Amino acid sequence: MTWELFELLLLASTRTIALSGLSIVIGFFLAAGICAGMLSDHAAARHAGRLFVSFFRGTPLLVQLLLIYHLLPRIGIDVPSEVAAVIGMSLCTAAYQAEILRGGFGSVPKGLLEAADMCGIGAFDTFRRIRLPIAVRLTLPALTSELIMIVKASSLVSVVGVIELTRMAQDLAASTFQPLPLYAAAGLVYLVINAAIAFAGWIVERRVARGHA
Amino acid sequence: MTSSPAIRVRGVVKRYGATEVLTGIDLDAPRGEVTCLLGPSGSGKSTLLRCIAFLEETSDGLIEIDGEPLGFAADPKGGRVRLSRPSIRAVRSNIGMCFQQFNLWPHMTALGNVSEALMTVRKFSRGEAEARAMVELDKVGLAKRASHYPSELSGGQQQRVAIARALALEPKIMLFDEPTSSLDPELTGEVLNVMRRLAETGMTMVVVTHEIGFAASVGSKIVFLDHGKILVEGSPTEVFGKPRHARIDQFLDTYLDRGAAGLL
């Protein structure tokens, strides 16, 4: 295991981080929308939200990635592997984050919404400015776990041809005949990334604890 | 200015399933005066206030705010018709409300709580909204606490921020739902003082309270509810003075008992 090999792993890990980070952010906004749908007064929006969640939570990410990768060209949309990977991961994490947020929304005290109502704040602004921020605060630990899950799940995107951390380790292991040090090093890099996420989550939790009784 | 009451309640009924919580309430809240709703718990006084705020929909009857029907209007054919959302919104914008649990948004500072609706509803710029919010916080004596989060404020301070939040939107009517019931006596005083000063500015107020002293001294109209109907109403002297309704006597007795128990 040389420094050069480790450098290659680090290079691949930037792709892991970029793909995961992008998917998490896109997934969060999708999740907020899906959650709004699931909690809305419109039956169609509720059903659409539930259908989305049950599909993307009920099928393996691996299958979703393969489906997206093969389906998009079929309907005339040619996308690079990276884009297919981000789409797949975003949709998948959106389903999980939507479920996490839904639990958070249920815990927002009703009185806070009545206060918003009495101030004349409309449903959309109440969602955006009051319900969502409070739900996120209430569900931070679960959301942090979901971020960590998605970083680990990103190892699956190699099936659509993206060379990320795990795939790089595999390739290097095959060409150097050093599987153990390479997989150990790859594991270590995941550990560092996720420790950083966990630490960031802890900092944010502590910061927002200030705004909570 | 017309002499119609700020709030007119006629034949209001509220049912939850088979239980009738309000059994036909008629009530006028005079403009510029403080109307206090008293009564034992379960008498329906909070429900009545929440109906006036349109946080609860009445099962029957009509409510007018400043002469405008709230939520439902009389149908010429008898019965009532539901009004449009914009109409409900417009009529409700005249009403500010404070809750027993304060209901400040925990992720916003005092300043954020007061300026929020100014920005999202009134479309003030952040600068304008915050300047306006500071004026309101100053009126309740909390300008120095503007950057504090609700969790960093005492209950009394939180309720004063909640009052500032409601007043920032310049309501014509302020509703208070047991504003001091979750406060200890020391903090109760500071909130009641703010409310007393507000009453002196000529604000129309409807207050659900257990503070008999406040009701007697600040209230110009006392309404005593029991079992979902108005038992007695009138000026404090009429309601509390002798001769008294037997039920009021009984109600006041429990208060005096409790007060005495506190002294012994």
Side-chain angles (χ1 to χ4, degrees):
Chain A
M1 177 79 195
T2 63
W3 175 245
E4 281 71 28
L5 287 178
F6 193 64
E7 261 187 335
L8 285 171
L9 284 184
L10 286 183
L11 199 66
S13 78
T14 59
R15 185 164 283 180
T16 291
I17 293 170
L19 293 176
S20 310
L22 209 56
S23 306
I24 286 160
V25 173
I26 297 172
F28 175 78
F29 286 105
L30 284 175
I34 294 160
C35 200
M38 286 197 291
L39 298 169
S40 95
D41 294 334
H42 302 282
R46 278 203 306 276
H47 291 310
R50 287 214 201 98
L51 197 68
F52 180 94
V53 169
S54 65
F55 178 78
F56 284 97
R57 216 171 46 154
T59 55
L61 175 57
L62 192 57
V63 173
Q64 293 162 17
L65 287 166
L66 289 167
L67 264 175
I68 288 163
Y69 187 62
H70 292 287
L71 191 71
L72 289 181
R74 192 65 70 82
I75 55 173
I77 307 169
D78 213 9
V79 294
S81 302
E82 283 83 356
V83 176
V86 168
I87 293 174
M89 284 165 59
S90 303
L91 293 175
C92 182
T93 188
Y96 282 94
Q97 291 190 47
E99 273 301 292
I100 293 170
L101 286 178
R102 195 169 63 89
F105 279 107
S107 314
V108 175
K110 206 170 131 255
L112 302 185
L113 306 179
E114 288 184 346
D117 190 18
M118 289 313 297
C119 288
I121 302 175
F124 178 70
D125 282 325
T126 300
F127 181 83
R128 190 175 61 90
R129 300 281 302 166
I130 293 160
R131 296 179 83 179
L132 187 60
I134 295 173
V136 167
R137 278 161 175 77
L138 291 172
T139 54
L140 266 176
L143 285 175
T144 305
S145 293
E146 174 57 21
L147 304 194
I148 290 172
M149 287 302 294
I150 206 70
V151 168
K152 293 190 291 179
S154 73
S155 63
L156 294 171
V157 301
S158 61
V159 294
V160 295
V162 179
I163 315 269
E164 41 60 66
L165 180 52
T166 302
R167 181 57 187 271
M168 181 62 91
Q170 269 180 323
D171 289 354
L172 294 175
S175 58
T176 62
F177 305 108
Q178 294 183 9
L180 274 182
L182 277 158
Y183 290 134
L188 191 70
V189 176
Y190 278 113
L191 199 59
V192 171
I193 295 172
N194 286 332
I197 293 176
F199 182 69
W202 179 73
I203 295 280
V204 177
E205 263 176 64
R206 233 181 36 154
R207 249 186 56 115
V208 304
R210 196 176 161 226
H212 267 290
Chain B
M1 190 68 70
T2 60
S3 59
S4 73
I7 303 171
R8 184 200 298 269
V9 175
R10 285 297 175 270
V12 159
V13 173
K14 176 66 184 174
R15 284 181 216 100
Y16 294 107
T19 346
E20 216 165 64
V21 185
L22 297 175
T23 60
I25 300 280
D26 293 326
L27 174 71
D28 286 342
R31 201 181 301 276
E33 293 181 19
V34 178
T35 303
C36 291
L37 305 183
L38 305 182
S41 40
S43 60
K45 55 194 190 304
S46 278
T47 306
L48 175 58
L49 194 77
R50 289 172 61 82
C51 286
I52 294 170
F54 208 68
L55 286 171
E56 306 276 351
E57 280 188 25
T58 53
S59 310
D60 201 3
L62 296 171
I63 295 175
E64 279 176 15
I65 304 294
D66 242 349
E68 298 286 326
L70 170 69
F72 299 91
D75 189 334
K77 287 172 284 183
R80 58 180 199 169
V81 283
R82 212 193 149 80
L83 298 171
S84 70
R85 275 189 193 217
S87 140
I88 294 172
R89 213 178 151 77
V91 176
R92 283 179 94 199
S93 70
N94 295 310
I95 306 172
M97 182 153 178
C98 290
F99 302 84
Q100 182 179 354
Q101 297 302 330
F102 329 131
N103 292 340
L104 293 181
W105 302 307
H107 60 301
M108 296 179 191
T109 60
L111 188 68
N113 268 277
V114 181
S115 56
E116 181 61 29
L118 291 172
M119 291 189 288
T120 53
V121 181
R122 295 289 167 86
K123 307 294 176 200
F124 282 30
S125 72
R126 177 174 296 274
E128 289 169 332
E130 290 186 345
R132 187 72 231 288
M134 278 309 286
V135 172
E136 293 300 335
L137 283 173
D138 193 41
K139 282 191 205 162
V140 297
L142 287 172
K144 284 199 179 120
R145 297 276 185 272
S147 62
H148 285 56
Y149 284 89
S151 62
E152 299 165 330
L153 299 171
S154 73
Q157 291 171 335
Q158 289 187 52
Q159 191 61 292
R160 282 148 66 197
V161 172
I163 293 172
R165 174 172 70 180
L167 290 178
L169 297 166
E170 298 172 306
K172 292 184 188 155
I173 297 166
M174 280 289 287
L175 307 179
F176 293 85
D177 189 6
E178 302 200 25
T180 59
S181 294
S182 49
L183 300 175
D184 62 45
E186 213 171 327
L187 300 179
T188 296
E190 66 184 53
V191 171
L192 293 182
N193 279 336
V194 167
M195 290 170 63
R196 192 169 280 128
R197 282 208 306 276
L198 183 60
E200 282 161 9
T201 67
M203 175 66 79
T204 304
M205 295 161 63
V206 181
V207 186
V208 170
T209 185
H210 293 293
E211 295 293 330
I212 305 287
F214 175 84
S217 63
V218 183
S220 50
K221 180 169 185 173
I222 306 293
V223 178
F224 189 93
L225 283 96
D226 199 16
H227 296 299
K229 48 177 171 290
I230 294 176
L231 203 62
V232 187
E233 67 179 302
S235 71
T237 353
E238 286 163 356
V239 174
F240 296 130
K242 308 223 165 166
R244 266 201 302 256
H245 192 288
R247 183 71 185 85
I248 306 264
D249 245 350
Q250 189 193 344
F251 184 73
L252 290 178
D253 270 352
T254 60
Y255 264 90
L256 297 175
D257 277 354
R258 239 191 295 166
L263 292 173
L264 293 173

